[in-house]
Protein backbone atom coordinates (compact mmCIF):
# COMPACT_ATOMS: atom_id res chain seq x y z
CA UNK A 1 0.00 0.00 0.00
CA UNK A 2 2.78 2.42 0.99
CA UNK A 3 4.72 1.58 -2.19
CA UNK A 4 1.60 2.31 -4.23
CA UNK A 5 1.19 5.73 -2.53
CA UNK A 6 4.84 6.61 -3.22
CA UNK A 7 4.44 5.54 -6.85
CA UNK A 8 1.30 7.68 -7.19
CA UNK A 9 3.08 10.73 -5.74
CA UNK A 10 6.03 10.22 -8.09
CA UNK A 11 3.69 10.01 -11.07
CA UNK A 12 1.91 13.21 -9.98
CA UNK A 13 5.24 15.02 -9.62
CA UNK A 14 6.33 13.91 -13.08
CA UNK A 15 2.97 14.97 -14.51
CA UNK A 16 3.17 18.39 -12.80
CA UNK A 17 6.74 18.86 -14.09
CA UNK A 18 5.63 17.95 -17.61
CA UNK A 19 2.61 20.24 -17.40
CA UNK A 20 4.37 23.23 -15.80
CA UNK A 21 7.77 23.04 -17.56
CA UNK A 22 7.41 26.62 -18.94
CA UNK A 23 7.15 27.92 -15.36
CA UNK A 24 10.27 26.03 -14.35
CA UNK A 25 12.16 27.50 -17.30
CA UNK A 26 10.88 30.93 -16.26
CA UNK A 27 12.49 30.38 -12.85
CA UNK A 28 15.81 29.30 -14.36
CA UNK A 29 17.34 32.80 -14.89
CA UNK A 30 16.57 33.76 -11.28
CA UNK A 31 18.11 30.52 -10.00
CA UNK A 32 21.25 31.06 -12.10
CA UNK A 33 21.60 34.66 -10.87
CA UNK A 34 21.17 33.52 -7.26
CA UNK A 35 23.81 30.82 -7.70
CA UNK A 36 26.29 33.26 -9.24
CA UNK A 37 25.80 36.28 -7.01
CA UNK A 38 24.51 34.74 -3.75
CA UNK A 39 26.18 31.35 -3.40
CA UNK A 40 29.25 31.76 -5.62
CA UNK A 41 30.86 34.48 -3.45
CA UNK A 42 30.50 32.23 -0.38
CA UNK A 43 33.72 30.54 -1.53
CA UNK A 44 35.46 33.66 -0.24
CA UNK A 45 34.45 32.79 3.35
CA UNK A 46 37.60 30.71 3.50
CA UNK A 47 39.47 34.02 3.94
CA UNK A 48 38.16 34.18 7.52
CA UNK A 49 40.43 31.25 8.37
CA UNK A 50 43.47 32.43 6.40
CA UNK A 51 45.96 35.27 6.43
CA UNK A 52 44.71 36.06 2.95
CA UNK A 53 47.03 37.74 0.46
CA UNK A 54 45.48 38.63 -2.93
CA UNK A 55 48.67 37.78 -4.81
CA UNK A 56 48.74 34.30 -3.22
CA UNK A 57 45.05 33.47 -3.73
CA UNK A 58 42.81 31.16 -1.71
CA UNK A 59 44.98 28.09 -2.13
CA UNK A 60 48.39 29.50 -1.21
CA UNK A 61 47.51 31.95 1.57
CA UNK A 62 48.67 30.72 5.01
CA UNK A 63 46.05 29.04 7.19
CA UNK A 64 45.49 30.63 10.64
CA UNK A 65 42.35 28.83 11.84
CA UNK A 66 40.29 30.80 14.35
CA UNK A 67 42.92 33.47 14.97
CA UNK A 68 40.85 36.29 13.45
CA UNK A 69 37.81 35.35 15.53
CA UNK A 70 39.91 35.45 18.72
CA UNK A 71 41.28 38.84 17.68
CA UNK A 72 37.75 40.10 17.08
CA UNK A 73 36.56 39.05 20.55
CA UNK A 74 39.63 40.58 22.21
CA UNK A 75 39.80 43.81 20.20
CA UNK A 76 38.08 46.72 22.04
CA UNK A 77 36.88 48.35 18.82
CA UNK A 78 35.13 45.14 17.72
CA UNK A 79 33.32 44.83 21.06
CA UNK A 80 32.16 48.45 20.82
CA UNK A 81 30.97 47.87 17.26
CA UNK A 82 28.95 44.79 18.27
CA UNK A 83 27.42 46.72 21.18
CA UNK A 84 26.52 49.66 18.90
CA UNK A 85 24.90 47.27 16.43
CA UNK A 86 22.81 45.58 19.12
CA UNK A 87 21.66 48.87 20.68
CA UNK A 88 20.69 50.49 17.38
CA UNK A 89 19.04 47.33 16.02
CA UNK A 90 17.00 46.61 19.15
CA UNK A 91 15.78 50.20 19.35
CA UNK A 92 14.84 50.13 15.67
CA UNK A 93 12.90 46.88 16.09
CA UNK A 94 11.01 48.20 19.14
CA UNK A 95 10.04 51.53 17.63
CA UNK A 96 9.29 50.06 14.20
CA UNK A 97 6.62 48.02 15.99
CA UNK A 98 5.25 50.62 18.40
CA UNK A 99 5.05 53.60 16.02
CA UNK A 100 3.34 51.82 13.06
CA UNK A 101 0.88 50.06 15.39
CA UNK A 102 -0.05 53.34 17.07
CA UNK A 103 -0.32 55.18 13.76
CA UNK A 104 -2.43 52.39 12.22
CA UNK A 105 -4.83 52.52 15.19
CA UNK A 106 -5.13 56.30 14.88
CA UNK A 107 -5.54 56.21 11.10
CA UNK A 108 -8.21 53.55 11.44
CA UNK A 109 -10.35 56.04 13.37
CA UNK A 110 -10.40 58.46 10.41
CA UNK A 111 -13.67 58.14 8.50
CA UNK A 112 -12.97 60.54 5.61
CA UNK A 113 -11.38 58.22 3.08
CA UNK A 114 -9.83 61.03 1.00
CA UNK A 115 -7.97 62.43 4.00
CA UNK A 116 -7.04 58.93 5.20
CA UNK A 117 -5.54 57.91 1.85
CA UNK A 118 -3.74 61.24 1.48
CA UNK A 119 -2.07 60.90 4.89
CA UNK A 120 -1.19 57.26 4.21
CA UNK A 121 0.42 58.18 0.88
CA UNK A 122 2.44 61.04 2.39
CA UNK A 123 3.91 58.91 5.21
CA UNK A 124 4.51 56.05 2.77
CA UNK A 125 6.60 58.06 0.27
CA UNK A 126 9.93 58.20 2.21
CA UNK A 127 10.15 54.40 1.99
CA UNK A 128 10.88 54.72 -1.75
CA UNK A 129 13.73 57.19 -1.29
CA UNK A 130 17.27 55.88 -0.91
CA UNK A 131 19.42 56.77 2.08
CA UNK A 132 21.74 58.63 -0.29
CA UNK A 133 18.95 61.16 -0.92
CA UNK A 134 17.61 61.16 2.64
CA UNK A 135 21.15 61.37 4.05
CA UNK A 136 21.80 64.55 2.06
CA UNK A 137 18.49 66.02 3.23
CA UNK A 138 19.24 65.21 6.87
CA UNK A 139 22.77 66.59 6.67
CA UNK A 140 21.41 69.89 5.35
CA UNK A 141 18.55 70.03 7.87
CA UNK A 142 20.71 69.17 10.88
CA UNK A 143 23.74 71.26 9.99
CA UNK A 144 24.90 73.45 12.91
CA UNK A 145 25.52 76.24 10.43
CA UNK A 146 22.32 77.24 8.66
CA UNK A 147 20.42 73.97 9.12
CA UNK A 148 16.63 74.26 9.42
CA UNK A 149 16.43 72.49 12.80
CA UNK A 150 19.21 74.53 14.38
CA UNK A 151 17.74 77.76 12.99
CA UNK A 152 14.49 76.93 14.79
CA UNK A 153 16.32 76.04 18.00
CA UNK A 154 18.28 79.31 17.93
CA UNK A 155 15.45 81.64 16.91
CA UNK A 156 12.58 80.08 18.89
CA UNK A 157 14.16 78.37 21.90
CA UNK A 158 17.25 80.61 22.06
CA UNK A 159 19.69 77.74 22.59
CA UNK A 160 23.08 77.11 21.00
CA UNK A 161 23.23 75.07 17.75
CA UNK A 162 23.59 71.31 18.22
CA UNK A 163 25.95 69.24 16.07
CA UNK A 164 23.51 66.33 15.73
CA UNK A 165 25.64 64.25 13.36
CA UNK A 166 28.93 64.97 15.13
CA UNK A 167 27.90 64.43 18.76
CA UNK A 168 27.95 60.91 20.18
CA UNK A 169 25.11 61.72 22.58
CA UNK A 170 22.80 62.72 19.69
CA UNK A 171 23.82 60.47 16.81
CA UNK A 172 21.88 57.34 17.85
CA UNK A 173 18.79 59.46 18.45
CA UNK A 174 19.04 60.88 14.92
CA UNK A 175 19.53 57.38 13.47
CA UNK A 176 16.47 55.93 15.23
CA UNK A 177 14.17 58.89 14.48
CA UNK A 178 15.18 59.10 10.82
CA UNK A 179 14.70 55.34 10.39
CA UNK A 180 11.20 55.61 11.89
CA UNK A 181 10.42 58.53 9.59
CA UNK A 182 11.48 56.54 6.53
CA UNK A 183 9.91 53.15 7.27
CA UNK A 184 6.92 53.49 9.59
CA UNK A 185 4.55 54.36 6.72
CA UNK A 186 5.37 51.09 4.95
CA UNK A 187 4.99 49.04 8.14
CA UNK A 188 1.69 50.75 8.89
CA UNK A 189 0.17 49.10 5.80
CA UNK A 190 0.72 45.66 7.33
CA UNK A 191 -1.14 46.58 10.50
CA UNK A 192 -3.92 48.40 8.62
CA UNK A 193 -4.46 45.20 6.64
CA UNK A 194 -4.69 43.27 9.91
CA UNK A 195 -7.27 45.75 11.23
CA UNK A 196 -9.29 45.54 8.00
CA UNK A 197 -9.55 41.75 8.37
CA UNK A 198 -11.28 41.98 11.77
CA UNK A 199 -14.91 40.84 11.72
CA UNK A 200 -17.18 43.96 11.87
CA UNK A 201 -19.78 41.97 13.82
CA UNK A 202 -17.43 42.04 16.83
CA UNK A 203 -17.55 45.84 16.87
CA UNK A 204 -21.33 45.85 16.47
CA UNK A 205 -21.71 43.44 19.38
CA UNK A 206 -19.38 45.55 21.54
CA UNK A 207 -21.32 48.70 20.61
CA UNK A 208 -24.56 47.04 21.68
CA UNK A 209 -22.92 46.25 25.03
CA UNK A 210 -22.05 49.93 25.48
CA UNK A 211 -18.34 49.80 24.61
CA UNK A 212 -16.93 53.10 23.33
CA UNK A 213 -14.20 53.38 20.69
CA UNK A 214 -11.41 53.23 23.26
CA UNK A 215 -12.73 49.99 24.79
CA UNK A 216 -13.31 48.53 21.33
CA UNK A 217 -9.67 49.25 20.51
CA UNK A 218 -8.41 47.74 23.77
CA UNK A 219 -10.57 44.61 23.79
CA UNK A 220 -11.12 43.89 20.09
CA UNK A 221 -8.68 45.64 17.75
CA UNK A 222 -5.40 45.10 19.61
CA UNK A 223 -6.08 41.42 20.58
CA UNK A 224 -7.08 40.71 16.95
CA UNK A 225 -3.84 42.31 15.75
CA UNK A 226 -1.72 40.35 18.21
CA UNK A 227 -0.89 37.39 15.90
CA UNK A 228 0.51 39.63 13.13
CA UNK A 229 2.34 41.75 15.73
CA UNK A 230 4.00 38.60 17.08
CA UNK A 231 4.91 37.42 13.58
CA UNK A 232 6.45 40.78 12.60
CA UNK A 233 8.29 41.04 15.92
CA UNK A 234 9.72 37.52 15.89
CA UNK A 235 10.77 37.71 12.24
CA UNK A 236 12.56 40.97 13.03
CA UNK A 237 14.92 39.03 15.31
CA UNK A 238 16.77 37.78 12.25
CA UNK A 239 17.89 41.33 11.49
CA UNK A 240 19.00 42.20 15.01
CA UNK A 241 22.63 42.44 13.84
CA UNK A 242 21.67 44.46 10.78
CA UNK A 243 21.50 48.06 11.98
CA UNK A 244 21.28 49.50 8.47
CA UNK A 245 24.52 49.96 6.54
CA UNK A 246 23.09 52.43 4.00
CA UNK A 247 21.75 54.76 6.66
CA UNK A 248 24.79 54.71 8.94
CA UNK A 249 27.27 54.98 6.08
CA UNK A 250 25.57 58.09 4.70
CA UNK A 251 25.24 59.81 8.08
CA UNK A 252 28.24 58.89 10.25
CA UNK A 253 31.76 60.31 10.43
CA UNK A 254 34.87 59.64 12.57
CA UNK A 255 33.50 61.88 15.35
CA UNK A 256 30.69 59.40 16.10
CA UNK A 257 32.46 56.06 15.64
CA UNK A 258 32.10 55.46 19.38
CA UNK A 259 28.29 55.25 19.24
CA UNK A 260 27.52 54.97 15.53
CA UNK A 261 29.96 52.48 14.05
CA UNK A 262 28.18 49.16 13.39
CA UNK A 263 29.38 45.76 12.16
CA UNK A 264 28.65 46.44 8.48
CA UNK A 265 30.43 49.81 8.38
CA UNK A 266 33.29 48.37 10.45
CA UNK A 267 33.72 45.48 7.98
CA UNK A 268 33.62 47.92 5.04
CA UNK A 269 36.22 50.20 6.61
CA UNK A 270 38.57 47.45 7.78
CA UNK A 271 38.15 45.18 4.76
CA UNK A 272 37.94 47.52 1.78
CA UNK A 273 39.60 50.70 2.99
CA UNK A 274 42.36 49.17 5.14
CA UNK A 275 42.79 46.02 3.06
CA UNK A 276 42.49 43.54 5.97
CA UNK A 277 40.27 41.13 4.04
CA UNK A 278 40.65 38.14 6.36
CA UNK A 279 39.72 39.97 9.56
CA UNK A 280 36.77 41.72 7.87
CA UNK A 281 35.54 38.37 6.53
CA UNK A 282 35.76 36.85 10.02
CA UNK A 283 33.68 39.67 11.50
CA UNK A 284 31.12 39.38 8.70
CA UNK A 285 30.94 35.60 9.06
CA UNK A 286 30.42 35.96 12.81
CA UNK A 287 27.53 38.35 12.19
CA UNK A 288 26.00 36.06 9.57
CA UNK A 289 26.22 33.04 11.87
CA UNK A 290 24.44 34.83 14.71
CA UNK A 291 21.83 36.17 12.28
CA UNK A 292 21.17 32.66 10.94
CA UNK A 293 20.56 31.36 14.46
CA UNK A 294 18.22 34.26 15.21
CA UNK A 295 16.31 33.75 11.94
CA UNK A 296 15.75 30.07 12.78
CA UNK A 297 14.65 30.97 16.32
CA UNK A 298 12.38 33.72 14.95
CA UNK A 299 10.60 31.35 12.54
CA UNK A 300 10.29 28.74 15.30
CA UNK A 301 8.73 31.27 17.68
CA UNK A 302 6.42 32.59 14.96
CA UNK A 303 5.18 29.05 14.33
CA UNK A 304 4.82 28.15 18.00
CA UNK A 305 3.10 31.36 19.06
CA UNK A 306 1.20 32.53 15.96
CA UNK A 307 1.14 29.32 13.86
CA UNK A 308 2.97 31.17 11.07
CA UNK A 309 5.14 29.17 8.70
CA UNK A 310 6.63 29.65 5.26
CA UNK A 311 7.13 25.99 4.32
Amino acid sequence: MRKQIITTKTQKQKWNLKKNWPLHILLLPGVIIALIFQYGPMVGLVMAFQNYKPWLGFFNSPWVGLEHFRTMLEYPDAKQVIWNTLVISVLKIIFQLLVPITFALLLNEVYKMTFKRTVQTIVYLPHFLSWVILGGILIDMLSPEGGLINNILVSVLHIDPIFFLGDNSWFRFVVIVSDIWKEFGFNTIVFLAAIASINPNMYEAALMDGANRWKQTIYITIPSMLPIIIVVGTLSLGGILNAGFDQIFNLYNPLVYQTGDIIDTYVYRVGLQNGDFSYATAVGLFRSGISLILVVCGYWLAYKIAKYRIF
Side-chain angles (χ1 to χ4, degrees):
M1 183 66 180
R2 185 177 179 182
K3 184 177 180 180
Q4 185 178 359
I5 293 173
I6 294 174
T7 304
T8 304
K9 287 183 178 179
T10 304
Q11 291 174 349
K12 286 183 178 179
Q13 290 174 354
K14 290 181 179 179
W15 183 82
N16 287 331
L17 182 62
K18 184 177 180 180
K19 180 183 178 182
N20 299 320
W21 66 267
L23 299 178
H24 290 84
I25 293 177
L26 191 65
L27 283 173
L28 192 59
V31 172
I32 293 174
I33 290 173
L35 290 173
I36 294 174
F37 293 102
Q38 300 292 332
Y39 293 95
M42 292 180 70
V43 176
L45 292 177
V46 71
M47 287 190 295
F49 307 96
Q50 296 177 326
N51 186 13
Y52 176 74
K53 304 296 181 185
W55 56 88
L56 295 177
F58 294 133
F59 299 103
N60 296 320
S61 295
W63 189 267
V64 296
L66 300 176
E67 182 64 30
H68 297 301
F69 294 93
R70 284 193 291 267
T71 302
M72 176 189 68
L73 296 176
E74 294 172 358
Y75 199 50
D77 284 355
K79 294 178 182 178
Q80 184 63 44
V81 163
I82 294 172
W83 172 249
N84 292 341
T85 305
L86 287 173
V87 171
I88 293 174
S89 298
V90 169
L91 289 175
K92 282 186 176 182
I93 290 172
I94 293 173
F95 285 105
Q96 284 294 1
L97 279 175
L98 293 179
V99 175
I101 290 170
T102 304
F103 190 77
L105 292 173
L106 294 173
L107 200 60
N108 186 57
E109 299 301 316
V110 177
Y111 292 101
K112 292 185 177 181
M113 293 304 297
T114 303
F115 178 77
K116 183 177 181 178
R117 289 171 180 171
T118 302
V119 171
Q120 187 174 339
T121 302
I122 291 173
V123 300
Y124 185 53
L125 283 176
H127 171 75
F128 295 100
L129 299 177
S130 71
W131 274 114
V132 176
I133 297 173
L134 292 179
I137 293 172
L138 287 172
I139 290 171
D140 288 338
M141 291 179 61
L142 300 175
S143 173
E145 299 178 358
L148 175 63
I149 302 301
N150 275 301
N151 284 342
I152 294 173
L153 293 176
V154 173
S155 59
V156 177
L157 301 179
H158 304 289
I159 62 176
D160 295 331
I162 300 173
F163 194 3
F164 289 99
L165 298 179
D167 189 337
N168 282 299
S169 59
W170 280 101
F171 185 76
R172 284 179 184 167
F173 173 79
V174 173
V175 168
I176 302 303
V177 172
S178 59
D179 183 72
I180 294 171
W181 169 50
K182 184 177 187 297
E183 299 295 345
F184 88 95
F186 178 81
N187 295 334
T188 299
I189 295 176
V190 177
F191 298 114
L192 282 174
I195 294 173
S197 65
I198 299 174
N199 190 347
N201 294 331
M202 298 174 66
Y203 292 107
E204 294 175 3
L207 186 62
M208 294 294 294
D209 290 338
N212 56 26
R213 295 297 299 176
W214 173 251
K215 289 185 178 179
Q216 290 177 32
T217 300
I218 295 297
Y219 295 107
I220 297 177
T221 307
I222 294 179
S224 300
M225 293 173 63
L226 199 57
I228 191 64
I229 293 173
I230 293 172
V231 168
V232 173
T234 52
L235 295 184
S236 297
L237 292 176
I240 201 169
L241 290 182
N242 182 17
F245 172 80
D246 292 345
Q247 180 190 18
I248 303 294
F249 182 76
N250 283 285
L251 293 178
Y252 86 147
N253 57 77
L255 295 176
V256 291
Y257 280 171
Q258 182 180 352
T259 58
D261 199 17
I262 60 173
I263 292 177
D264 288 337
T265 55
Y266 181 68
V267 168
Y268 169 81
R269 197 170 64 254
V270 172
L272 294 182
Q273 293 185 341
N274 296 345
D276 195 348
F277 302 109
S278 295
Y279 180 68
T281 304
V283 177
L285 182 59
F286 171 79
R287 196 210 75 162
S288 299
I290 300 298
S291 297
L292 175 62
I293 295 172
L294 291 173
V295 167
V296 173
C297 293
Y299 280 121
W300 182 82
L301 288 172
Y303 175 71
K304 289 294 182 181
I305 299 173
K307 301 302 178 184
Y308 171 86
R309 64 187 303 170
I310 297 179
F311 305 108

